[in-house]
């Protein structure tokens, strides 16, 4: 390749500043540890273990996956569909290196992942790829009918053998259920907000006060 060819990153996204990373990791740990102690959670342990009598230690069930971030576009060094077009969007260049506040509006846990839902502002949505939700259609058929930005999340941890791409898919599944009119079974008012159960091991904590996390729009080369 010619030397001056610009190479594309593994992905673009917002990277939480280190103080925000610490805060979010702490809240996530508190959440999973508390969830683990709830009778409602214990009642549905089968979802996690596949066995009736087994126990699960949620704190160690999920493994952290590098620096906390909210992916906008997974480029796979240019091999992903639309990667080059995304990188060439003037908004990407304009906002590259800028810091904005991510609003984390919910925390969720499934047998595969733990993550935070990110509610993007109009300005942040300018950096959101138009087909991010549609690209999830094979995994979550209703994804394409969800509003842009629905997939925006921060992966907080993954179960053994689970790739972080799963976190956004798990979030879309829950939002698709909500869109169908399922509000989940409210099981508990927790200090941070209402906890709802969506079946199949899916738990969503809607935060009363969103977590505000300053983050830098940038890219990761690995
Ligand atoms: O937790 P994430 O959002 O899920 O952050 C990581 C990041 O890119 C580096 O792996 C995300 N990711 C991986 N594959 C894809 C994909 N096909 N579509 C969207 N995001 C992806 C992963």
């Amino acid at each position: 390749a010619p030397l001056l060819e610009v190479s594309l990153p593994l992905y673009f996204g917002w990277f939480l500043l280190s103080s925000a990373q610490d805060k979010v990791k702490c809240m996530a740990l508190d959440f999973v540890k508390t969830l683990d102690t709830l009778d409602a959670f214990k009642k549905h342990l089968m979802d996690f273990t596949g066995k009736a009598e087994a126990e699960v230690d949620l704190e160690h069930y999920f493994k952290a996956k590098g620096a906390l971030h909210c992916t906008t576009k997974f480029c796979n060094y240019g091999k992903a569909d639309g990667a080059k077009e995304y990188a060439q969007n003037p908004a990407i260049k304009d906002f590259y290196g800028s810091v904005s506040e991510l609003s984390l509006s919910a925390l969720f846990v499934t047998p595969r992942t733990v993550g935070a839902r990110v509610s993007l502002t109009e300005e942040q949505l300018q950096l959101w790829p138009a087909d991010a939700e549609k690209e999830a259609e094979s995994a979550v058929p209703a994804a394409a009918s969800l509003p842009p930005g629905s997939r925006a999340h921060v992966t907080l941890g993954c179960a053994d053998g689970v790739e972080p791409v799963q976190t956004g898919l798990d979030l879309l599944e829950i939002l698709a259920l909500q869109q169908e009119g399922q509000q989940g079974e409210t099981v508990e008012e927790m200090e941070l907000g209402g906890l709802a159960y969506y079946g199949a091991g899916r738990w969503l904590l809607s935060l009363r006060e969103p977590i505000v996390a300053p983050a830098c729009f940038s890219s990761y080369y690995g």
Side-chain angles (χ1 to χ4, degrees), residues 6-22:
V6 174
S7 61
L8 292 172
L10 182 60
Y11 62 94
F12 285 91
W14 290 281
F15 294 81
L16 275 67
L17 302 190
S18 68
S19 58
Q21 294 211 30
D22 294 342

Side-chain angles (χ1 to χ4, degrees), residues 89-170:
N89 175 346
I92 304 311
K93 295 197 174 81
D94 290 349
F95 284 101
Y96 199 84
S98 69
V99 172
S100 66
E101 286 182 339
L102 290 183
S103 174
L104 279 46
S105 54
L107 299 175
F108 56 92
V109 163
T110 76
R112 298 164 297 278
T113 65
V114 52
R117 181 183 187 189
V118 178
S119 296
L120 299 174
T121 63
E122 284 301 318
E123 186 171 81
Q124 289 166 342
L125 280 169
Q126 292 178 43
L127 303 171
W128 191 253
D131 44 10
E133 283 73 29
K134 193 165 173 41
E135 277 178 3
E137 234 181 346
S138 57
V140 185
S145 65
L146 291 166
S150 295
R151 191 176 180 174
H153 69 278
V154 175
T155 296
L156 299 168
C158 295
D160 272 342
V162 174
E163 293 297 324
V165 64
Q166 186 61 46
T167 316
L169 304 176
D170 284 355

Side-chain angles (χ1 to χ4, degrees), residues 37-83:
T37 66
L38 299 180
D39 287 339
F41 181 77
K42 290 186 183 148
K43 203 171 96 189
H44 296 289
L45 258 190
M46 272 281 278
D47 298 343
F48 281 78
T49 60
K51 302 184 211 93
E53 304 297 330
E55 284 188 21
V56 65
D57 173 6
L58 271 194
E59 182 184 347
H60 298 105
Y61 180 90
F62 297 110
K63 307 284 182 295
K65 294 277 170 175
L68 299 188
H69 68 274
C70 173
T71 304
T72 53
K73 177 67 185 176
F74 180 70
C75 292
N76 200 14
Y77 307 109
K79 292 193 286 279
D81 279 349

